[in-house]
């Protein structure tokens, strides 16, 4: 989904399969994740890979649902690893519908929580074509009062501040407030950054490199749909990155 400005706002919604072919090689437990950029500035990003063999715990963490921009339920991942490349269980994703007008709207679901929690996760992403994305997360086919976390990992160039009413988070980049993320449902935000105890709030721009960054966690008991709105400040124009030469 992208806006029509010269420097567009672009949101990518991943409803594809986990990893490569039947063994899901190189896959991550990121079913129904989103990413967002404003012009050429990444804002909501993928955590990266970091390591393969030198630390099993960190390898598993960077593949876990906890560090991706999607919903985690009851503290478990939507897919669970078995070894550095294989999986003990994999979420199966399905695109339900996609439409462009009058509002761009994509609906998809996965069954990664069906065996352990008895529910499917359905995510709807809508875009008004200009400045507002709406993300609706619902639990289907089972008991819906579950402990849930919806995560958004930020690019290290961005910083976040939780609003005093704890309903939303403001995101600043290059000294400009560019985005506000607001929860209209039961989930409330907090921010972690480079947390050594939980290993949350880390970003790997390339293999073997790990940088602290803000990770926004909307948390609570999900007993109905969670609606989170990502609003772009219309007056914001991101400064372009300078070109470099060898």
């Amino acid at each position: 989904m992208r806006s029509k400005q010269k420097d567009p706002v672009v949101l990518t919604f991943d409803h594809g399969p986990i990893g490569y072919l039947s063994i899901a090689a190189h896959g991550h437990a990121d079913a129904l994740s989103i990413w967002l950029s404003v012009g050429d500035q990444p804002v909501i990003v993928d955590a990266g890979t970091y390591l393969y063999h030198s630390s099993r715990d960190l390898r598993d963490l960077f593949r876990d649902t906890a560090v991706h921009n999607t919903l985690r339920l009851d503290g478990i991942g939507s897919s669970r690893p078995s070894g550095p490349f294989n999986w003990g269980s994999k979420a199966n994703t399905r695109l339900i519908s996609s439409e462009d007008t009058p509002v761009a709207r994509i609906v998809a679901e996965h069954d990664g929580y069906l065996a352990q929690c008895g529910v499917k996760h359905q995510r709807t992403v809508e875009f008004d074509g200009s400045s507002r994305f709406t993300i609706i997360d619902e639990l289907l086919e089972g008991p819906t009062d579950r402990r849930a976390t919806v995560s958004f990992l930020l690019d290290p160039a961005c910083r976040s501040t939780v609003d005093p009413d704890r309903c939303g988070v403001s995101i600043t980049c290059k000294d400009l407030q560019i985005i506000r993320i607001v929860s209209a449902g039961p989930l409330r935000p907090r921010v972690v950054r480079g947390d050594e105890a939980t290993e949350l709030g880390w970003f790997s721009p390339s293999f073997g490199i790990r940088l602290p960054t803000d990770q926004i966690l909307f948390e609570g008991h999900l007993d109905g749909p969670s609606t989170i709105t990502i609003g772009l400040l219309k007056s914001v124009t991101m400064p372009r990155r300078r070109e470099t030469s060898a």
Side-chain angles (χ1 to χ4, degrees):
M1 296 175 170
R2 66 177 61 226
S3 65
K4 295 180 180 180
Q5 293 103 318
K6 181 180 178 181
D7 297 315
V9 181
V10 180
L11 183 143
T12 302
F13 179 24
D14 181 7
H15 52 76
I18 304 300
Y20 183 65
L21 300 180
S22 61
I23 64 170
H26 297 279
H28 287 198
D30 59 355
L32 308 188
S33 285
I34 63 104
W35 301 272
L36 181 74
S37 61
V38 178
D40 64 356
Q41 175 62 55
V43 179
I44 300 174
V45 298
D46 184 79
T49 298
Y50 188 40
L51 299 173
Y52 282 143
H53 297 291
S54 55
S55 171
R56 172 66 185 274
D57 289 344
L58 287 174
R59 167 65 174 159
D60 286 351
L61 176 73
F62 270 80
R63 292 194 294 165
D64 192 75
T65 306
V67 302
H68 291 92
N69 307 314
T70 186
L71 178 141
R72 189 175 187 233
L73 200 60
D74 286 350
I76 63 174
S78 58
S79 299
R80 288 164 289 282
S82 175
F85 294 95
N86 295 325
W87 294 90
S89 69
K90 294 181 295 181
N92 297 299
T93 57
R94 182 171 74 95
L95 176 65
I96 296 173
S97 65
S98 176
E99 52 192 275
D100 295 327
T101 57
V103 174
R105 186 172 188 264
I106 300 174
V107 184
E109 68 179 22
H110 74 77
D111 64 359
Y113 299 121
L114 193 58
Q116 294 196 53
C117 303
V119 296
K120 289 185 178 181
H121 171 209
Q122 182 178 103
R123 171 166 277 190
T124 301
V125 180
E126 298 177 345
F127 180 43
D128 69 358
S130 174
S131 62
R132 184 176 296 273
F133 297 91
T134 302
I135 300 172
I136 303 170
D137 290 302
E138 298 180 78
L139 304 179
L140 309 176
E141 299 189 12
T144 58
D145 188 4
R146 296 283 186 172
R147 183 166 53 90
T149 301
V150 176
S151 172
F152 299 102
L153 185 74
L154 301 187
D155 184 85
C158 301
R159 296 302 297 263
S160 59
T161 303
V162 177
D163 295 345
D165 61 6
R166 293 195 70 244
C167 289
V169 179
S170 298
I171 297 175
T172 302
C173 184
K174 300 173 184 174
D175 298 323
L176 296 173
Q177 185 176 333
I178 57 171
I179 283 174
R180 188 161 180 262
I181 306 178
V182 178
S183 171
L187 307 183
R188 292 293 176 261
R190 67 182 177 99
V191 176
V192 297
R193 181 180 180 88
D195 191 328
E196 296 284 0
T198 63
E199 299 295 352
L200 299 178
W202 296 94
F203 169 69
S204 176
S206 58
F207 184 78
I209 296 176
R210 186 179 69 150
L211 304 175
T213 195
D214 284 4
Q215 185 173 357
I216 303 168
L217 305 172
F218 284 87
E219 301 171 314
H221 279 267
L222 197 60
D223 55 2
S226 162
T227 300
I228 293 176
T229 301
I230 301 175
L232 175 74
L233 300 186
K234 294 183 179 180
S235 61
V236 169
T237 300
M238 292 299 298
R240 288 186 172 271
R241 294 180 179 180
R242 293 183 178 180
E243 296 291 337
T244 58
S245 57

